């Protein structure tokens, strides 16, 4: 078994370590969501925490880790008799992104349940994680139905498995820790709210600290056991401090003054519901216990707000979580009281001088995909060299106000990743039929199973009221739900689109479609064509906000290489089919339909468009042509693509009631 990297040897990341330790002191805080770029010790710190947790006493032989002092009366392995307890280390269970529902919550043997009336239950990962840590790396990539099950169990402290009238319940109390890279997509706001605390992490920009990170990592890789032994004293000190804080926690006093500050802070930042108030109260109490105090101070309330509120404040989908610390200080000052309050800062830095003792807040975001530079950038080609254009380049303009759009869906029924756009065969949704199971039975169709077994009851010697069921009788329910698609935007940024007011409206329309893609759990990609060629401004990704940032900084100018844009989009789809063959694509071409530059640009654009029609790719052309004289070029392009055209004005939800029907009809005609 590999030796985990010592928790106390992690360099920097004070907020991350503090949030994890607070949950170790008080699991009622509700877990931690760690957001940050790759390579920032997110997983290392989480895995290291398990070694610091005290051992747990369990009922010998219980698969659900029941506490011998208070065994679960509903435990499937119970009832438990009084006997010697077994001590074991606290577990850290990892939930893979591709896990099935049965692997998470456990599985019932449906065949034995029907034929014998026996609850033959195989525990899942939630049972394994009881009284330990459940770690979900890349939680934002987890299927929605798994996240719902996971967070429901975390909130209720129990897991329920319901299958065709047979139910099993067992305790499932664990420290939930999720990590994610925001560039790969966000969690839904209601799921964000279920995590108690959130922490933003980023790699240090200080050379000395980066040197120390590399030095410690190389030393650990060369001799894991020896490196861990050198940090044994620090690890033991933190472990002892966790135990002491747990013992002190029931004695911590949360005065009315601190409660008023908590309530005022949550109201000032307009968080929804009361969960934020409760989490802040529990976090402030854990902070006091961690510092060895029995009174909650103003500094505890401030730190609790910095950890518990950033992901709960009201924000637009593309806004990064964060908190205005000046506003926070003003609110705390306004509602400061005399009951155990102290406007100073705690001098205790934690287990050691570099430890996570307090302070912090959210690190300032670096310029990049999440924010920063949104001004104009020089246009470059794929080789990084400046690209010549046929007309003067205009700087980027801001997008117009986004609006709600109607659903653009891919026709037919797919089998892609769960989402909310197009029809698909899924594990969750309405039941549409039954079939023989392929492999393990997961969703029993009871009526079809009974119908299959009924004709053979006399031949099987049935004598009692029970139904004699064989393996061949079992039927799997087929269900229809919704899938997420790849929405590939192909945007004309040429000189013909360069009028500032017009390009602002175009960007507003694309931003509106991006918002729709965000809500429907799609992947998105962005192809830009202008000047002499086309570029992939954003390869297909789940980070819709990254597409919004690229769109915002898009300059315009030059000729209109429409054929190049379509061919580039075709290449993107070809590569993406190899990576994710089950995910269907919807191509959204945003253009006025003009094609200039090179020999026979209109003919070449038509040939490129017919490639999409031949492959049955669903497409929509957003017609950006304006003025009293309209040439209808975008409509012709839509015909070549085998899709449909819609004007900017008609893209709004209240204007395109028949658009989906037209997309589907056009695609069927093309097929």
């Amino acid at each position: 078994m590999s030796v985990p990297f010592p928790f106390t040897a992690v360099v920097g990341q004070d907020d991350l370590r503090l949030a994890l330790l607070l949950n170790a002191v008080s699991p009622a805080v509700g877990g931690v969501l760690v957001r940050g770029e790759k390579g920032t010790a997110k997983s290392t710190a989480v895995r290291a925490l398990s070694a610091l947790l005290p051992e747990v006493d369990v009922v010998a032989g219980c698969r659900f880790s029941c506490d011998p002092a208070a065994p679960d009366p509903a435990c499937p392995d119970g009832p438990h008799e009084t006997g010697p307890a077994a001590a074991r280390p606290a577990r850290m269970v990892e939930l893979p992104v591709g896990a099935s529902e049965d692997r998470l919550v456990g599985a019932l043997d449906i065949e034995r349940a029907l034929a014998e009336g026996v609850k033959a239950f195989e525990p899942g990962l939630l049972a394994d994680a009881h009284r330990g840590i459940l770690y979900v790396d890349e939680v934002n990539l987890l299927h929605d139905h798994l996240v719902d099950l996971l967070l429901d169990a975390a909130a209720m402290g129990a897991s329920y498995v319901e299958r065709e009238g047979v139910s099993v319940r067992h305790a499932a109390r664990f420290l939930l820790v999720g990590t994610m890279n925001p560039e790969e997509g966000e969690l839904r706001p209601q799921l964000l709210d279920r995590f108690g605390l959130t922490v933003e992490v980023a790699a240090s920009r200080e050379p000395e600290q980066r040197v120390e990170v590399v030095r410690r990592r190389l030393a650990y890789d060369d001799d894991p056991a020896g490196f861990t032994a050198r940090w044994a004293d620090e690890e033991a000190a933190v472990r002892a401090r966790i135990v002491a804080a747990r013992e002190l926690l029931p004695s911590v006093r949360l005065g009315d003054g601190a409660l008023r500050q908590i309530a005022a802070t949550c109201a000032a930042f307009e968080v929804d519901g009361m969960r934020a108030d409760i989490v802040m109260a529990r976090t402030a109490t854990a902070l006091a216990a961690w510092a060895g105090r029995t009174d909650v101070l103003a500094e505890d309330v401030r730190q609790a707000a910095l950890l518990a509120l950033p992901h709960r404040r009201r924000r637009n989908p593309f806004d990064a979580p964060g908190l205005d610390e000046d506003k926070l200080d003003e609110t705390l000052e306004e509602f400061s009281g005399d009951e155990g309050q102290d406007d100073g800062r705690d001098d205790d830095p934690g287990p050691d001088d570099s430890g996570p003792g307090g302070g912090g807040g959210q690190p300032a975001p670096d310029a990049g995909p999440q924010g920063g530079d949104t001004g104009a950038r020089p246009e470059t080609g794929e080789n990084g060299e400046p690209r010549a254009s046929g007309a003067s380049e205009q700087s980027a303009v801001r997008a117009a106000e986004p609006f709600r759009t109607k659903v653009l869906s891919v026709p037919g029924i797919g089998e892609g990743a769960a989402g909310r756009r197009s029809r698909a065969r899924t594990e969750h949704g309405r039941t549409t039929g039954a079939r023989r199971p392929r492999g393990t039975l997961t969703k029993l169709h009871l009526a079809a199973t009974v119908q299959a077994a009924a004709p053979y009851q006399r031949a099987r010697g049935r004598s009692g009221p029970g139904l004699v069921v064989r393996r061949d009788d079992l039927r799997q329910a087929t269900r229809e739900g919704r899938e997420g698609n790849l929405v590939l935007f192909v945007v004309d940024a040429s000189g013909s689109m360069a009028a500032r007011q017009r390009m602002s409206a175009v960007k507003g329309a694309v931003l509106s479609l991006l918002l729709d893609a965000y809500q429907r759990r799609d992947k998105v990609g962005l192809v830009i064509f202008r000047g002499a060629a086309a570029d992939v401004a954003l390869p297909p990704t789940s980070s819709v906000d990254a597409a919004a940032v690229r769109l915002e900084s898009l300059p315009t100018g030059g000729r209109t290489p429409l054929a190049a844009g379509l061919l580039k989009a075709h290449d993107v789809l070809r590569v993406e089919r190899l990576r994710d063959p089950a995910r269907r694509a919807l191509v959204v071409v945003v253009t006025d339909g003009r094609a200039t530059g090179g020999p026979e640009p209109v003919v070449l654009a038509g040939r490129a468009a017919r490639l999409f029609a031949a492959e049955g790719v669903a497409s929509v052309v957003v017609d950006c042509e304006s003025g009293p004289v309209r040439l209808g070029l975008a409509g012709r392009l839509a015909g070549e693509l085998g899709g449909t055209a819609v004007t900017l004005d008609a893209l709004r939800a209240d204007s395109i009631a028949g658009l989906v029907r037209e997309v589907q009809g056009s695609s069927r005609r093309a097929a």
Side-chain angles (χ1 to χ4, degrees):
M1 181 177 179
S2 61
V3 180
F5 191 90
F7 186 85
T8 52
V10 175
V11 179
Q13 309 297 11
D14 290 348
D15 287 346
L16 168 58
R17 293 194 288 161
L18 177 62
L20 292 172
L21 288 171
L22 292 178
N23 275 272
V25 171
S26 176
V29 166
V32 187
L33 175 65
V34 187
R35 297 164 44 92
E37 58 197 22
K38 52 187 177 293
T40 50
K42 300 189 299 292
S43 301
T44 299
V46 175
R47 293 188 175 98
L49 178 66
S50 61
L52 297 179
L53 298 181
E55 289 189 338
V56 295
D57 292 331
V58 299
V59 174
C62 178
R63 297 174 298 166
F64 301 88
S65 302
C66 278
D67 185 350
D72 180 10
C75 177
D77 284 355
H80 297 298
E81 299 179 356
T82 303
R88 63 162 176 79
R91 293 173 179 159
M92 193 196 76
V93 177
E94 294 194 40
L95 173 61
V97 170
S100 65
E101 180 181 337
D102 286 346
R103 184 72 186 99
L104 176 63
V105 300
L108 288 169
D109 189 332
I110 301 296
E111 186 174 2
R112 290 189 63 192
L114 284 176
E116 305 173 27
V118 176
K119 293 183 181 179
F121 181 71
E122 184 65 29
L125 295 177
L126 292 179
D128 293 341
H130 180 45
R131 305 176 66 198
I133 301 172
L134 182 62
Y135 172 48
V136 188
D137 194 14
E138 307 295 352
V139 65
N140 52 321
L141 304 183
L142 203 63
H143 286 179
D144 283 354
H145 70 280
L146 292 182
V147 176
D148 291 339
L149 291 169
L150 174 65
L151 296 180
D152 283 345
M156 295 186 295
S159 174
Y160 295 84
V161 182
E162 303 283 348
R163 294 287 169 85
E164 307 297 344
V166 180
S167 64
V168 171
R169 174 209 170 275
H170 64 83
R173 292 183 294 274
F174 46 81
L175 168 55
L176 176 63
V177 182
T179 59
M180 59 174 284
N181 184 347
E183 294 180 359
E184 297 174 340
E186 290 281 1
L187 277 173
R188 302 199 312 266
Q190 59 267 42
L191 301 184
L192 277 173
D193 183 59
R194 300 298 287 272
F195 282 93
L197 309 179
T198 187
V199 178
E200 295 277 346
V201 297
S204 172
R205 300 301 186 253
E206 294 294 330
E208 290 302 320
Q209 195 171 73
R210 296 175 74 96
V211 167
E212 186 61 24
V213 170
V214 175
R215 182 182 291 121
R216 292 187 187 183
R217 186 71 213 190
L218 292 178
Y220 170 78
D221 290 341
D222 290 341
D223 183 10
F227 182 83
T228 303
R230 291 195 292 274
W231 289 87
D233 292 342
E234 288 82 353
E235 294 281 287
V238 175
R239 191 178 298 110
R241 190 173 176 184
I242 291 174
V243 174
R246 284 185 173 184
E247 294 174 351
L248 183 62
L249 187 64
S251 303
V252 175
R253 174 178 174 270
L254 183 65
D256 290 342
L259 281 172
R260 280 194 295 270
Q261 286 187 317
I262 289 171
T265 301
C266 292
F269 286 97
E270 299 182 334
V271 297
D272 294 324
M274 296 299 298
R275 184 176 286 118
D277 303 62
I278 296 170
V279 171
M280 271 191 67
R282 289 172 174 166
T283 305
T285 304
L287 280 162
W290 176 248
R293 291 185 267 100
T294 56
D295 285 319
V296 174
L297 306 181
E299 65 199 40
D300 300 324
V301 177
R302 184 182 193 277
Q303 182 64 56
L306 292 171
L307 293 172
L309 295 188
H311 61 303
R312 291 188 167 91
R313 69 173 180 83
R314 292 184 181 179
R315 60 190 181 93
N316 292 324
F318 299 147
D319 293 341
L323 215 60
D324 184 341
E325 295 193 34
D326 291 336
K327 180 179 179 180
L328 172 61
D329 291 334
E330 292 174 3
T331 304
L332 294 176
E333 179 66 25
E334 180 182 354
F335 289 88
S336 62
D338 297 327
E339 298 186 25
Q341 299 298 318
D342 184 357
D343 290 335
R345 294 289 179 262
D346 188 6
D347 293 328
D348 180 8
D352 53 55
D353 288 342
S354 63
Q362 305 307 323
D366 298 311
Q370 293 299 318
D373 179 17
T374 58
R377 295 186 178 94
E379 185 185 15
T380 59
E382 292 182 317
N383 59 359
E385 296 295 326
R387 176 181 298 142
S389 62
S392 60
E393 180 179 293
Q394 297 190 19
S395 60
V397 298
R398 296 191 63 83
E401 191 69 21
F403 50 84
R404 187 172 62 89
T405 67
K406 271 291 183 69
V407 182
L408 306 178
S409 63
V410 178
I413 301 179
E415 295 182 345
R420 298 175 185 169
R421 183 171 295 278
S422 305
R423 295 171 58 201
R425 285 181 285 270
T426 62
E427 287 293 316
H428 295 268
R430 64 184 182 90
T431 301
T432 58
R435 60 172 174 80
R436 291 182 181 273
R438 306 185 189 102
T440 304
L441 178 71
T442 57
K443 299 290 183 182
L444 178 74
H445 195 296
L446 183 59
T449 299
V450 172
Q451 187 176 4
Y456 307 103
Q457 296 304 295
R458 182 175 298 178
R460 293 173 182 174
R462 173 183 170 184
S463 58
L467 189 68
V468 181
V469 179
R470 303 277 173 84
R471 175 67 186 174
D472 290 343
D473 301 327
L474 298 179
R475 294 295 182 268
Q476 174 85 25
T478 57
R479 302 191 176 191
E480 183 178 306
R482 293 280 169 178
E483 68 177 0
N485 298 117
L486 167 60
V487 182
L488 182 60
F489 293 94
V490 185
V491 180
D492 182 353
S494 64
S496 64
M497 304 279 288
R500 297 184 69 86
Q501 186 175 0
R502 185 180 180 191
M503 197 61 197
S504 176
V506 169
K507 286 187 176 183
V510 178
L511 183 61
S512 302
L513 292 168
L514 283 171
L515 283 165
D516 183 67
Y518 168 84
Q519 294 164 352
R520 300 187 187 283
R521 311 292 287 177
D522 294 316
K523 291 180 70 173
V524 298
L526 184 61
V527 173
I528 305 296
F529 60 94
R530 60 186 287 264
D535 287 330
V536 180
L538 185 72
T541 175
S542 297
S543 181
V544 179
D545 54 348
V549 172
R550 302 292 174 87
L551 177 72
E552 190 70 23
S553 61
L554 175 66
T556 57
R559 294 184 179 276
T560 311
L562 177 57
L566 295 175
L567 290 174
K568 181 68 71 174
H570 186 267
D571 288 341
V572 170
L573 293 184
R574 177 179 55 81
V575 173
E576 194 63 19
R577 282 193 206 101
L578 298 176
R579 294 175 178 169
D580 191 356
R583 188 180 291 270
R584 297 185 295 164
L586 173 65
V587 177
V588 179
V589 185
V590 184
T591 181
D592 57 9
R594 289 181 172 83
T596 61
E600 298 184 317
V602 176
V603 175
L604 292 177
R607 291 176 182 172
R610 286 190 288 275
L611 291 175
F612 293 86
E615 295 175 1
V617 178
S619 60
V620 175
V621 178
V622 179
D623 185 359
C624 302
E625 190 175 23
S626 61
V629 180
R630 302 180 64 87
L631 302 178
L633 299 177
R636 296 181 201 172
L637 175 63
E640 298 278 6
L641 286 166
T644 189
V646 57
T647 65
L648 282 174
D649 292 337
L651 190 61
R652 297 179 181 273
D654 55 359
S655 302
I656 56 171
L659 180 57
V660 174
R661 186 165 55 252
E662 293 174 13
V663 173
Q664 295 174 342
S666 298
S667 299
R668 282 194 291 269
R669 288 194 297 272

